[in-house]
Amino acid sequence: MPTAVSLFSGCGGSDAGVIAAGFDVIMANDILPYARDVYLANFPETDYRLGDICGIQDFPAADLLVGCYPCQGFSQGGAREANRKINTLYLEFARALGIIQPRAFIAENVSGLRRSTYRHLLEDQLAKFSEAGEHGYNVYWRQINAHEYGVAQERKRVVIVGIRKDMNAEFEFPAATHGPEADQPFFSIGEALEGLPEWPEGEFCEDPFHWYYLSRNRRRDWSEISKTVVSHMRHMPLHPVSPVLKRIHTDKWEFETDAPARRFSFREAARLQGFMPRYTTHGGDMIFPDTVESRTKDVAYNMLRQRYKVVGNAVPPPMFEAVAGALPDIWEDE
């Protein structure tokens, strides 16, 4: 079984995908303690190194390097500040790439990198990765739509793949598995949430719907794919049990009826991200460990916020499974 090292691993979305594609993830890393707790509850055998990637100086040898470095500085839903330090964490990925020199790598980031304001950052990533290590890498990139690979939400991401030049192999991005031009229809909200209760007590954000939240239509029906799952729980899309929203005027929507409305729960968000038995090895929904003894209102609210955050920041496992599965067979020496 080929091995993989994962950086900026979060709660394990990318790793669930590469594991499903046949890799053994031997090391993972992230700076968020709760992300580590969720990860290890699902993949306890992985050496998970908690802390700033800048402080990690040694890495195990591996065939594949995976990295989903943070993207807040150029996210479509974020502050979009091109000069933020967090935008250059790809340099740490390039450093690890030069040390490990794996046969291949996969990196992921937000589609906002394609915008003219941030294009120089994308170009620098491609240049740094292509020059890494003794041999360098043939680098390929594409914007990928997660819903074309069995994920029940709209989620556009830039994926960068590299094949070490001495492998003498090429890479082609996988064809869509779902959609009008594929063998299967898009995976719907209803299919993703099958078997879950409609009103899971304590698992969804009950904060009021702020005017900003109602500045756009955040609801999709059971038969559709969801709006993008986000890390901020107050901005999570609406569950289909909620009333339909109608447009009043520019940037203002209202519910058509006074029936109860709610956001997706963190567990439903995990399903919409693709954390399901058919994509992972842990045999069920993601396990979310309770790491705090006290159950006061403030502690419970903070725990709920963390659960939403690690899910919203995750990479959809089916998307990464498709990309990792499309890598050429370069894992054994001739």
Side-chain angles (χ1 to χ4, degrees):
M1 181 180 293
T3 57
V5 165
S6 170
L7 306 179
F8 312 100
S9 313
C11 66
S14 59
D15 297 12
V18 298
I19 288 171
F23 291 83
D24 178 19
V25 180
I26 57 176
M27 176 200 153
N29 157 259
D30 204 276
I31 201 169
L32 297 176
Y34 186 68
R36 173 204 56 189
D37 294 345
V38 175
Y39 187 109
L40 292 178
N42 291 287
F43 306 115
E45 301 302 318
T46 301
D47 174 19
Y48 199 108
R49 303 187 188 180
L50 181 67
D52 190 333
I53 183 63
C54 300
I56 299 179
Q57 301 302 317
D58 63 295
F59 302 90
D63 299 304
L64 176 68
L65 177 63
V66 175
C68 308
Y69 27 87
C71 57
Q72 288 89 330
F74 33 74
S75 171
Q76 300 281 18
R80 297 207 289 268
E81 299 173 36
N83 61 348
R84 289 183 63 188
K85 181 180 179 180
I86 200 169
N87 294 343
T88 57
L89 283 175
Y90 68 84
L91 296 174
E92 291 300 317
F93 182 82
R95 177 176 67 87
L97 187 61
I99 294 172
I100 302 170
Q101 300 189 54
R103 299 178 183 222
F105 73 83
I106 307 173
E108 179 263 5
N109 222 295
V110 294
S111 61
L113 270 179
R114 299 171 68 246
R115 296 166 62 95
S116 59
T117 308
Y118 318 120
R119 186 60 182 249
H120 66 287
L121 290 169
L122 174 59
E123 297 293 343
D124 194 48
Q125 290 177 48
L126 300 177
K128 292 290 193 301
F129 299 162
S130 67
E131 298 166 358
E134 178 183 353
H135 301 282
Y137 289 83
N138 293 319
V139 179
Y140 311 78
W141 74 275
R142 178 181 293 182
Q143 176 179 288
I144 286 184
N145 301 321
H147 58 273
E148 293 183 344
Y149 300 95
V151 179
Q153 63 162 309
E154 295 176 344
R155 198 177 190 90
K156 298 177 181 179
R157 289 295 185 268
V158 166
V159 175
I160 306 172
V161 176
I163 307 295
R164 208 171 68 199
K165 290 181 178 179
D166 64 316
M167 294 290 99
N168 298 314
E170 297 182 354
F171 175 78
E172 291 187 11
F173 280 92
T177 58
H178 293 68
E181 298 182 5
D183 294 334
Q184 303 177 70
F186 291 132
F187 196 53
S188 69
I189 295 173
E191 291 173 298
L193 304 190
E194 184 177 2
L196 295 181
E198 287 194 354
W199 295 93
E201 184 177 351
E203 292 193 358
F204 62 89
C205 175
E206 299 184 57
D207 289 358
F209 298 115
H210 193 264
W211 68 265
Y212 177 77
Y213 187 89
L214 295 175
S215 66
R216 65 190 73 174
N217 185 4
R218 300 180 188 267
R219 183 190 180 278
R220 290 281 175 82
D221 211 347
W222 292 101
S223 61
E224 299 178 290
I225 59 174
S226 171
K227 296 280 191 175
T228 302
V229 167
V230 296
S231 61
H232 195 307
M233 68 180 187
R234 296 188 70 183
H235 297 166
M236 186 63 60
L238 287 166
H239 189 283
V241 74
S242 307
V244 172
L245 282 167
K246 60 181 178 181
R247 186 173 183 271
I248 303 303
H249 56 70
T250 304
D251 297 333
K252 184 174 182 179
W253 294 71
E254 290 183 353
F255 292 109
E256 289 188 348
T257 72
D258 293 330
R262 72 168 179 88
R263 303 166 178 86
F264 286 117
S265 71
F266 70 85
R267 196 177 307 277
E268 291 161 344
R271 287 279 193 97
L272 296 173
Q273 284 276 55
F275 285 99
M276 302 177 72
R278 63 198 181 97
Y279 292 122
T280 67
T281 60
H282 51 73
D285 289 328
M286 291 183 70
I287 302 170
F288 295 89
D290 285 323
T291 57
V292 183
E293 294 293 334
S294 173
R295 305 314 306 162
T296 65
K297 184 177 180 180
D298 288 345
V299 169
Y301 186 84
N302 184 57
M303 178 62 70
L304 185 64
R305 184 167 54 191
Q306 289 188 66
R307 286 172 164 170
Y308 271 111
K309 182 177 181 178
V310 298
V311 171
N313 283 335
V315 176
M319 185 183 78
F320 244 58
E321 179 185 353
V323 174
L327 290 168
D329 187 8
I330 55 175
W331 314 117
E332 294 185 6
D333 294 320
E334 297 182 0

